[in-house]
Amino acid sequence: MSKTVLDVSHLTMRYENQTNATLEDVSFRIEPGERVALLGANGVGKSTLFRILLGLLPFNSGTIKRFGVETVGRGGGKVLRSFRCQVGFIPQNHGLSPTLSILSNVMHGRLGQGNVWRRCFQSLASKEERDEAIQCIRQFGLESKALSRCGQLSGGESQRVTLARAFFGRPKLFLADEPAASLDPSIANEMMASLSNQAIETKATLLFATHNLEHAMKFSDRILAIGNRRIRMDAATEGLQMEELQTLYD
Amino acid sequence: MINTSQGKASAFSIPRFEKPPLLGWLLLVAVLTFLIGSFRTVEIAPERVSRGFSRVLQIGREMIPPRVDRIVPLIQQALVTLQIATLGTLIGIGVSLVAGNYACRHVSHPYLTASIRSFVAIVRTVPELIWGLLFVACFGLGPFAGVLAVAADTFGFCGRFFTEAFDDVEDRELEGLRGLGATPFGQFLALILPQSIPNLVHTSLFALERSVRASIVLGLVGAGGIGVELDVAMRLFRYDEASTVMLLILVLVLLIERISESVRRQIRPYSQAS
């Protein structure tokens, strides 16, 4: 039987310069293959939660089991890095290298999975990996620009490269922090559909933060909502009404 | 509406000159005493100035026309200077890149970062001439000592600016790669280094220009190159040959400046992109 992907128990996190906790007594489990939407108003701690799940931020109390393995707080060295290698992280700010080509940036999706030099620069990569990366770029309609520098791309194009990079890593878990935030409605829909389909096809788990309630309803099996520092809603998407979700933002 | 009368009143209320406190007067007296003392130490006297000026004219006349019978060995020595500068700069840049990786706050341990930065600061405080004297004493006269001196000087210079360029990358930008399991070296190679390249190229070109000038001066302490020829010509009062050397130095420095300006133009689009 597959291990629970994420098992968060009584997680509390307080930033050093703040008196109130950002997240308090947060508990949830995400099982393999689930598609989970994370909702919550701006500043409730969605990005903080993503960073904690990846081990990029320390937390004050509670436990997190990633693929059944517990690592406490920041660090955990190899264990944490091996978890991250199984994650397709799509950060809000893209985190692309502007002076490198789209192709090189997509190759970075496997940066933690072996030879660093070969995954840093597309010109040093093997033919198979290059072809695979180009295939990922093609999925997002950017193959004609594969050798263009990322610094020349629009916000929407950069977001597509970030998705292609995550796909290239063949992850078991997609962590997407507002993946459609900088896109126009039709492209946003397309991107979310790609992400969701990829997760279904590869049997990967998907956790995505969004403010778009339609996306949450359409592309998730379950909805988690954060409000007032705690988990305010944890329910199957089926059977939920849009009005119920809207109350989360009231 | 602006109240002009109020504006005038506040302008007039600013005191025009405030009498300095006693400590201020004492400081002023100390500075003046030091300056007067400096004039006396360097023995500035009108008769010396006029005598020196007539000597300048005499040397100037002896410098023209430049002597060209030794032009081939002099050009060879100019090339040696260029080789010392280029090789020394390349070694210095290489060491600075490695040190910069370990001194980068994003991917290195704070203690290691602090230690390397302190070491770079110490290297930077020593002028290239002192490095030259030190390496000539250790490795003997010749270009090898010059290369080492230029490398040390370049390391002190580039080491600092490379580290600053690496630090300019924002931590949030790196989280995307950290979240994908990239090692610290992977993050350095994939994002920090490429993003800093325009800055690194600018600094390296500037370092090369400095190194060419430095390697000329280093010749004066026996570290090889055209500086040695200039030293010998001046000591033997062969001013016509010295002027040839000076012209070659001028050509060399201008050439390097032109090349570096052209490279800067080439990388400008990359700087704008990043």
Side-chain angles (χ1 to χ4, degrees), chain B residues 118-141:
Chain B
S118 307
F119 180 64
V120 172
I122 292 167
V123 173
R124 196 172 52 247
T125 53
V126 181
E128 77 266 9
L129 212 58
I130 309 270
W131 284 120
L133 284 169
L134 201 68
F135 288 124
V136 164
C138 295
F139 299 100
L141 293 166

Side-chain angles (χ1 to χ4, degrees), chain B residues 4 23 28 39 44 50-51 63 65 105 122 129 133 138-139 146 150 171 182 186 195 199 213 240 250 255:
Chain B
T4 47
L23 193 70
L28 189 68
F39 272 102
I44 295 177
S50 68
R51 204 168 54 233
M63 279 180 159
R105 68 183 169 91
I122 292 167
L129 212 58
L133 284 169
C138 295
F139 299 100
V150 170
D171 216 37
Q195 201 154 322
N199 247 330
R213 291 191 196 96
D240 48 355
L250 185 75
L255 185 76

Side-chain angles (χ1 to χ4, degrees), chain B residues 209-227:
Chain B
E209 288 176 32
R210 286 178 83 239
S211 298
V212 170
R213 291 191 196 96
S215 53
I216 293 162
V217 178
L218 282 167
L220 302 178
V221 293
I226 195 131

